[in-house]
Amino acid sequence: MKKPVILAVDDDPQVLNAIDRDLRAEFRRDYRVLRADSGDGALAILRELQTRAEPLALLLADQRMPGMEGVELLEKSRALFPDAKRVLLTAYADTEAAIRAINGARLDYYLLKPWDPPQELLYPTLHDLLGAWQAQHKPAFQGLRLIGFQWSPLSHAVKSALAGYMVPFEWLDFETNPAAAKLLESTEFEAADLPVVVYADGHAVARPARADLTQYLGLLTQPSGDLYDVVVIGAGPSGLGAAVYGASEGLKTLLIEREAPGGQAGTSSRIENYLGFPTGLSGTELAHRAWTQAVRLGAEFLAEEVTNLCVQDGYKVLTLSNGSEVRTRAVVLTTGVSYRKLEVPGIDALSGAGVYYGAARTEARSCDQQDVYIVGGGNSAGQAAMYLASYARRVFIVIRSKSLASSMSAYLIEQIAGTENIEILPFAQVKEVKGEGHLEAVVLQMGEQTEERPARALFVFIGAKPSTEWVCGTVICDGKGYVLTGRDLVADPRYAASWKRPREPFALETCVPGVFAAGDGRAGAMARVAAAVGDGSTAIKFVHQYLDE
């Protein structure tokens, strides 16, 4: 396989030599480093790379170049290599232009010159960008390949599972891609067995169960220890935050997740208001970084589902869906929330076949030059609209209210207003979905008028419900299923008798001492990624206090 390319562009020979030297010193083992001294020269190299089908991973361009400024070059490069990471090299005087380019040229980062020492000011940023590129890059004839039908809910589920763990894979639609039939012939399966996963070593699995995928990923499905200090249930932002802080502070920490890391936030196509990421990042990227961080610090990750929680001799005993048990001294419930289902005629039959809950980034490319609809007016809906607008012909946001002002962040509203192929449909709601085997049309109620429109996909973001059904018989939940903690327990006469200890419950403690709740599944929690991470880290503080009793 050809090495991916890193291209550096600068008209100043001294600066170009310096960046070329630093890039080769750090990245030449895994990447081919090229250089150009002008925008036109860089475009010529990019066209040659495209002709040779060589992958471009990263393009670094100086802003102040005669003939073609760096921002212009980065913008033109998108037509040739839309998935490559783009970095602008700037002086302090050019930072305003760089910030403007974040939206205009979809800039991934900007670096101030000089970057000495590169070990601190250059390499960490480039490693992060290249890691993100590698996670999304799909090299030809290498790695995992998935053969299936575009409109198969099971195919969609497998794609979503792989994407949730940031596993690079090649999707081959059996009905439209000739390579799919040829690859299927090399296995023992036929079209009736689809979807089929073909691993890099040639081993194939038809209709893969979750256990098949977790085994391929090398994830644990059985705990390695007999007793843990704290078990975190749910790997959304709150659970990942708890795992990072628990492991870093010396607690024997186990993190259990039934699906993929990230929770509801993990389905967000782009989060732009999380502290420390000025160009934004996807929910999957954020979750993967946090997961890697937690494991590096010593947390153990278990890909399983918890079905029951009980207390035996002061220890908390968790029963898993595979029948095994986990014993722990403390528990942090970070089960989060899930999107509510849209209750309209025809929708159940089309779920996963044109109707998707959450951003469904794996389906974006299949919406190329088609009309798609988004139901909901929150930030997740806005992030999905911006992402889908890069592929779809038109994106319609269906909301019941007059505008997005009361439900969406201002920065997203501004971006949507500036995107020509996004249209907001106020005072509207979906009344029915239609299609034979896959979504073909949506029926909209707009004021007093009803209109049927063709649609390639419908993405639903209509609020959330807590994923606490399995635990509400053990801890106290409110009428909507959110877990009650701290003062909410003792202040309400209905629940005060449930607390048996002489001390008051800690702020995030449930009615079961040593069982804490954090994140969106907790009553009164703020539905923000940063707040969820803070909740998870705060829960670990109270875990320490409980264990010290």
Side-chain angles (χ1 to χ4, degrees), residues 115 123-124 129 131 190 244 258 278 291 295 544:
W115 51 82
Y123 296 154
L129 291 173
E190 54 189 30
V244 166
R258 64 181 180 178
W291 173 35
V295 172
H544 279 294

Side-chain angles (χ1 to χ4, degrees), residues 251-271:
L251 297 178
K252 188 175 182 181
T253 304
L254 174 65
L255 177 61
I256 305 177
E257 171 56 52
R258 64 181 180 178
E259 295 180 355
Q264 191 180 46
T267 68
S268 293
S269 53
R270 195 166 189 84
I271 301 172

Side-chain angles (χ1 to χ4, degrees), residues 121-262:
L121 302 180
L122 179 66
Y123 296 154
T125 296
L126 298 190
H127 274 297
D128 279 349
L129 291 173
L130 291 170
W133 179 84
Q134 288 282 7
Q136 296 180 350
H137 179 55
K138 299 175 183 178
F141 313 113
Q142 185 177 358
L144 183 150
R145 287 169 288 180
L146 174 62
I147 312 168
F149 295 106
Q150 177 60 46
W151 302 115
S152 162
L154 183 54
S155 294
H156 168 67
V158 176
K159 284 191 285 185
S160 296
L162 293 171
Y165 282 104
M166 295 191 78
V167 178
F169 68 94
E170 182 180 16
W171 162 247
L172 301 172
D173 186 348
F174 188 77
E175 294 180 311
T176 62
N177 192 332
K182 185 176 181 181
L183 178 61
L184 188 62
E185 288 178 2
S186 67
T187 72
E188 58 183 293
F189 303 111
E190 54 189 30
D193 300 314
L194 295 177
V196 171
V197 168
V198 182
Y199 297 116
D201 60 2
H203 176 63
V205 177
R207 295 180 169 268
R210 178 174 175 78
D212 297 314
L213 299 177
T214 54
Q215 182 179 7
Y216 168 77
L217 295 171
L219 300 175
L220 295 176
T221 57
Q222 296 284 348
S224 63
D226 297 325
L227 178 66
Y228 294 87
D229 293 321
V230 60
V231 172
V232 182
I233 305 174
S238 184
L240 290 166
V244 166
Y245 279 88
S248 67
E249 293 172 13
L251 297 178
K252 188 175 182 181
T253 304
L254 174 65
L255 177 61
I256 305 177
E257 171 56 52
R258 64 181 180 178
E259 295 180 355

Side-chain angles (χ1 to χ4, degrees), residues 523-539:
M526 181 182 296
R528 292 289 186 272
V529 174
V533 174
D535 242 19
S537 62
T538 302

